[in-house]
Amino acid sequence: MPRESAASPPPNSITAAAEAAGAFAPIMPPPPNLQGKTVRANWNATALAYLGDSVWELYVRRHFFFPPSRLTRYYEGVASQVRAETQESYYELLKAGAFLSEAEAEVLAWGRNARVNVPPRFKASGSHAISYKRATAVECLVGYLYLTDAPRLHQLMLHLGISGDARDGRAAISL
């Protein structure tokens, strides 16, 4: 296996330079070929939330991967960000600001209003069910943007402080 050269620049500085130049393309698996189908007409909000959940987790895992650390620290950081209660905080941040386009705000509302099976841990109180629905809304938006506009998805994640580059000075919401 080849060894890394000490003279080569760290990958994050390459990413930052490319992003600053406007040439950054997020490195993720490409979305599937939708064969000309429109997303909202062919997939429901819960299906998009299902996909968005995995995309969200990949971004969050990437966010906590640097600097190198122990596995338990990675786990604790990720677990804190993939919780419905934390995603609800991101929902509130998106609703309160002017970051989302009108179409994105509609997708967020569509996801919030989706008919979902609320897990038992959320059924104890009605307010927790609302948290779960708001988290589903965020995941729906992430899934939608992943399929329709990956660069905008990356902008969204940067806006929320989940960039994958620990040197950008932003922090994800913590509860």
Side-chain angles (χ1 to χ4, degrees), residues 5-65:
S5 166
S8 65
N12 287 340
S13 66
I14 293 170
T15 301
E19 190 172 28
F24 184 72
I27 300 172
M28 292 187 65
N33 179 351
L34 302 179
Q35 301 173 346
K37 295 181 185 209
T38 57
V39 173
R40 288 193 66 181
N42 289 281
W43 286 272
N44 64 35
T46 55
L48 293 178
Y50 172 78
L51 179 62
D53 176 66
S54 63
V55 173
W56 179 270
E57 184 155 344
L58 180 58
Y59 265 94
V60 170
R61 283 178 182 247
R62 193 179 91 184
H63 179 79
F64 286 101
F65 191 67

Side-chain angles (χ1 to χ4, degrees), residues 16-159:
E19 190 172 28
F24 184 72
I27 300 172
M28 292 187 65
N33 179 351
L34 302 179
Q35 301 173 346
K37 295 181 185 209
T38 57
V39 173
R40 288 193 66 181
N42 289 281
W43 286 272
N44 64 35
T46 55
L48 293 178
Y50 172 78
L51 179 62
D53 176 66
S54 63
V55 173
W56 179 270
E57 184 155 344
L58 180 58
Y59 265 94
V60 170
R61 283 178 182 247
R62 193 179 91 184
H63 179 79
F64 286 101
F65 191 67
F66 187 85
S69 187
R70 293 179 168 242
L71 191 57
T72 54
R73 290 201 60 163
Y74 293 146
Y75 174 79
E76 290 165 357
V78 170
S80 74
Q81 295 300 306
V82 299
R83 296 180 55 83
E85 296 84 356
T86 306
Q87 289 177 328
E88 179 183 28
S89 298
Y90 288 116
Y91 171 88
E92 291 168 357
L93 179 71
L94 291 171
K95 288 293 287 181
F99 180 78
L100 296 180
S101 70
E102 187 177 326
E104 292 164 347
E106 287 175 11
V107 170
L108 195 67
W110 182 47
R112 183 198 63 228
N113 295 330
R115 191 174 176 134
V116 294
N117 292 325
V118 178
R121 81 176 182 99
F122 292 99
K123 289 184 179 176
S125 135
S127 64
H128 287 96
I130 292 168
S131 295
Y132 188 78
K133 289 178 87 60
R134 289 177 175 172
T136 300
V138 171
E139 292 172 346
C140 178
L141 178 61
V142 169
Y144 175 81
L145 290 176
Y146 174 71
L147 292 173
T148 62
D149 192 350
R152 179 65 175 158
L153 168 64
H154 191 67
Q155 289 174 351
L156 172 73
M157 298 310 274
L158 286 171
H159 176 73

